[in-house]
Amino acid sequence: MRRPTAALNCLRGLRLRALRSSAPATAATIPRPLQTLLPNITSSLRPSARPYSDAVHASDLRFGQPVHETHPHLIAPGDLTPNISAVEYHDRRTALTALLPQNSIAIFPSAALQYRSGPVFHEFHQDPDFLYLTGWLEPSAACGIIESLGPVGDGEYRFWMFVPEKDQKREQWDGPSSGTIAARDVWNADEARDVGQLEKVLKELLSGGGGGAEGGRRREVYLTHTPTMTAPSISSSQLTIAQIVSKTVHYHPAAPPMIHPLTPLTHSLRLRKSEGEVKNMRIAGKIAGRVYNQMMARKWRSEKELWAFLDYGFKMGGADREAYLPVVAGGANACHLHWTRNNELFRENEMVLIDAGAQYSNYITDISRTFPLAKSYTPLQASLYQAVLTVQKHLLAHLSNLPPGGGAGATSLNTLHALSKHLLTAELRQLATPRFPNLTESLVDSTLYPHFVGHYIGLDVHDCKTVRNSIELGPGMCIAVEPGLYVPYGDERCPKELWGMGVRVEDSVALLEGGGIKVLSVEAVKEVVDVEALRAQAWDLEGEEAEGGRGGLRYPVGAVWPQGQV
């Protein structure tokens, strides 16, 4: 293998000169979402005590993931991952450190490769907290550690990464890896060690031997509890990171340090997205929305064919992959909220509910649409669809009108859900035909609309799960808004002619600084007139050209279609 020497000069010059300058941090160097969580950080953060040389270029090297020097078409100079700079990853670690008590450490394991059977593995998905703090996408890392070095709120830290050393034999099978030298020179770890040294180093750190603890042992340990994640290459014990930490912190049983969950702290930071994060989600939404429009402009024979088209379209449009296992539910399958079998044939006069999203640079957007398999909605289908669409548009208008500073008129996901139930009940009562004879909000809540109105989105589809739905929504937060209506077969409280119909309309939105929202999935049409215009195109085509999966793509992936206004 080739040792990086002067070869990483470009990376150091572009990424670390700004990152490790001798000037104190200012508001201009800390992303706005982190400033709002750390009001005192810009005034209390002293110049970094960690020196870095300018001796590092990587254009002739290979790494375990794309970097600018090897993939300039994907990653801009100074970025570690698309649209997220090395400086931003540093600021995230600084923000987390400022939330930690003095003389504490945070330990965050990476995800492990999961195996389907024998040597056959699933597609790797990095742990979101580990990714958020490091930018490291390889599946072979064990964990990262942040040592809090200064007073509470100071933000000074030492960053450790434990990753496998480069191994030519392993790379013959798995492809290039990055190794400990790149972990220091590219990912800006202060200390980078082989994963096999984790237990030994952790004992030293918790005993105060790492140079950061004052007055002996670490008092508090913050850990993302991941009991199923194994640490690769740590001896032969295959202990989980949580087990290693538990074993190590009790190394001195007289006064073991307290162990706290780290996830609530990382989720509080991840909740408010930076400009780069919103940009990635907007790209994902644009790609997916355009594929949705192409989908509606074609005829389909089965759920399986339509699913294959979505996956293909997302990737050809520039996405990394599907954001999650999609719902492709024809007819009554739409009443099963998590129908992901996607293995039924379509019937021409039914509707199909699609819940699918694209992932771009690890960030996702979540979209749902319901459209007729025929050329247009039937009157009954149109009435139900329009009721749900009207509710969703009212909810988006409500979010658009939130006061910038919060206070009176502020809202939360809980209040948004309560509003959605009230609006949907009112819409159903206004239906001329068919009529619900004994409609109550209780029936809506328990049967017709049994799921929540939305959720936070970001690195996860259901992002920041430790954050309560009762908190006030504010700038930088990104959420999915997805009212729905599902009429089960055999429920005598509902009109018989509606049995088996299911509708959901969902968009991803970002709440903006100064008020208002940005609909991240605005390309995907949802107005009845626009949906039916696309369905008419599908039926106007002749022969195999009109059928999904036959005769190639009829419309380019980048096509833009008319869309209704929110």
Side-chain angles (χ1 to χ4, degrees):
M1 85 180 179
R2 204 184 288 184
R3 286 183 62 85
T5 53
L8 291 177
N9 207 12
C10 181
L11 286 172
R12 299 293 283 211
L14 290 172
R15 296 178 183 165
L16 297 181
R17 201 163 287 127
L19 183 60
R20 303 299 185 191
S21 68
S22 58
T26 66
T29 64
I30 298 175
R32 173 66 180 173
L34 302 188
Q35 291 179 48
T36 60
L37 289 165
L38 303 171
N40 299 320
I41 192 170
T42 56
S43 60
S44 63
L45 194 62
R46 64 173 180 268
S48 173
R50 293 168 287 156
Y52 284 82
S53 71
D54 278 334
V56 233
H57 204 289
S59 56
D60 58 344
L61 299 179
R62 300 184 71 192
F63 298 88
Q65 69 186 69
V67 298
H68 166 70
E69 288 69 21
T70 60
H71 293 70
H73 59 293
L74 294 178
I75 301 177
D79 288 354
L80 274 182
T81 54
N83 299 310
I84 310 294
S85 69
V87 175
E88 182 168 333
Y89 282 106
H90 162 68
D91 289 339
R92 292 171 177 179
R93 294 190 292 269
T94 299
L96 176 61
T97 306
L99 299 177
L100 298 173
Q102 186 175 3
N103 195 26
S104 61
I105 65 172
I107 305 171
F108 38 99
S110 76
L113 194 62
Q114 301 296 315
Y115 286 84
R116 180 174 177 175
S117 64
V120 181
F121 46 82
H122 290 286
E123 185 176 29
F124 178 69
H125 179 71
Q126 184 59 279
D127 177 78
D129 284 339
F130 182 85
L131 175 59
Y132 181 80
L133 293 168
T134 67
W136 185 280
L137 292 168
E138 293 179 56
S140 49
C143 78
I145 297 176
I146 290 177
E147 295 180 76
S148 174
L149 300 179
V152 177
D154 181 273
E156 187 60 37
Y157 67 90
R158 180 180 291 111
F159 175 37
W160 295 73
M161 287 187 71
F162 294 84
V163 303
E165 288 287 8
K166 291 181 70 67
D167 182 289
Q168 187 175 4
K169 199 165 190 177
R170 188 181 69 246
E171 290 185 9
Q172 185 178 12
W173 289 88
D174 300 335
S177 60
S178 298
T180 57
I181 294 176
R184 286 192 299 269
D185 293 336
V186 181
W187 281 267
N188 304 323
D190 298 298
E191 300 286 346
R193 305 289 176 84
D194 181 77
V195 290
Q197 299 183 37
L198 174 61
E199 191 168 349
K200 174 179 178 292
V201 172
L202 198 52
K203 282 184 179 180
E204 294 175 357
L205 291 176
L206 294 175
S207 299
E214 299 174 5
R217 303 183 58 222
R218 301 282 174 186
R219 291 192 293 272
E220 308 203 40
V221 176
Y222 287 76
L223 171 69
T224 52
H225 294 283
T226 50
T228 61
M229 293 181 182
T230 57
S233 306
I234 297 178
S235 306
S236 59
S237 62
Q238 297 300 304
L239 293 173
T240 67
I241 299 296
Q243 288 172 320
I244 291 172
V245 173
S246 179
K247 174 183 174 182
T248 307
V249 297
H250 294 91
Y251 185 62
H252 298 293
M258 296 180 64
I259 301 179
H260 306 280
L262 179 64
T263 306
L265 300 184
T266 54
H267 284 189
S268 71
L269 298 176
R270 285 171 48 194
L271 181 62
R272 294 179 184 268
K273 308 301 189 283
S274 68
E275 182 180 339
E277 291 178 292
V278 173
K279 182 176 182 179
N280 285 336
M281 296 171 72
R282 177 69 185 102
I283 293 172
K286 183 180 295 186
I287 292 168
R290 291 173 174 176
V291 174
Y292 265 76
N293 295 341
Q294 296 158 34
M295 168 190 70
M296 286 187 268
R298 303 182 69 84
K299 291 183 180 179
W300 299 101
R301 298 176 180 178
S302 69
E303 295 171 348
K304 181 180 178 181
E305 280 188 347
L306 201 159
W307 178 15
F309 180 86
L310 289 170
D311 182 43
Y312 174 80
F314 292 163
K315 291 175 180 175
M316 290 299 291
D320 302 329
R321 59 186 61 87
E322 295 173 306
Y324 48 90
L325 188 63
V327 171
V328 182
N333 292 338
C335 294
H336 304 287
L337 302 184
H338 284 172
W339 176 268
T340 56
R341 300 175 192 177
N342 304 339
N343 59 0
E344 301 261 352
L345 295 175
F346 289 134
R347 295 174 179 85
E348 185 174 302
N349 292 320
E350 294 178 331
M351 292 187 291
V352 56
L353 187 157
I354 308 295
D355 188 336
Q359 176 181 313
Y360 180 82
S361 186
N362 311 299
Y363 288 86
I364 68 93
T365 41
D366 198 351
I367 309 174
S368 295
R369 293 290 186 267
T370 308
F371 66 92
L373 289 162
K375 195 170 185 177
S376 60
Y377 295 100
T378 68
L380 288 177
Q381 291 170 348
S383 63
L384 255 63
Y385 178 81
Q386 189 62 56
V388 176
L389 177 61
T390 299
V391 170
Q392 200 233 19
K393 291 168 68 175
H394 277 304
L395 296 174
L396 296 184
H398 177 75
L399 292 171
S400 295
N401 294 322
L402 292 179
T411 196
S412 67
L413 282 177
N414 281 345
T415 55
L416 197 69
H417 180 64
L419 177 60
S420 71
K421 290 191 296 182
H422 174 74
L423 290 170
L424 184 58
T425 304
E427 286 295 319
L428 294 179
R429 283 174 177 160
Q430 291 177 17
L431 290 180
T433 179
R435 298 194 64 83
F436 286 79
N438 299 301
L439 183 69
T440 64
E441 194 165 305
S442 175
L443 173 62
V444 171
D445 189 31
S446 65
T447 304
L448 300 179
Y449 175 33
H451 61 77
F452 201 65
V453 70
H455 49 87
Y456 306 111
I457 55 174
L459 287 171
D460 273 333
V461 180
H462 286 254
D463 207 37
C464 304
K465 288 179 286 187
T466 64
V467 176
R468 299 186 307 276
N469 290 333
S470 59
I471 70 165
E472 181 181 311
L473 296 174
M477 296 185 187
C478 295
I479 61 174
V481 181
E482 51 175 334
L485 176 63
Y486 317 89
V487 186
Y489 268 109
D491 195 321
E492 298 291 344
R493 296 170 297 177
C494 305
K496 194 169 185 177
E497 56 267 44
L498 298 182
W499 288 0
M501 288 190 186
V503 175
R504 184 157 65 248
V505 181
E506 176 182 21
D507 282 294
S508 297
V509 302
L511 279 70
L512 303 178
E513 194 75 37
I517 62 173
K518 175 184 286 186
V519 180
L520 303 172
S521 47
V522 69
E523 278 76 13
V525 304
K526 58 186 178 183
E527 297 291 343
V528 169
V529 62
D530 294 328
V531 172
E532 291 186 339
L534 293 180
R535 296 309 296 150
Q537 290 186 35
W539 283 81
D540 288 344
L541 296 176
E542 294 183 359
E544 291 188 346
E545 277 192 332
E547 297 170 358
R550 305 291 190 272
L553 279 171
R554 175 65 176 81
Y555 298 102
V557 169
V560 180
W561 300 96
Q563 59 202 18
Q565 298 299 312
V566 171

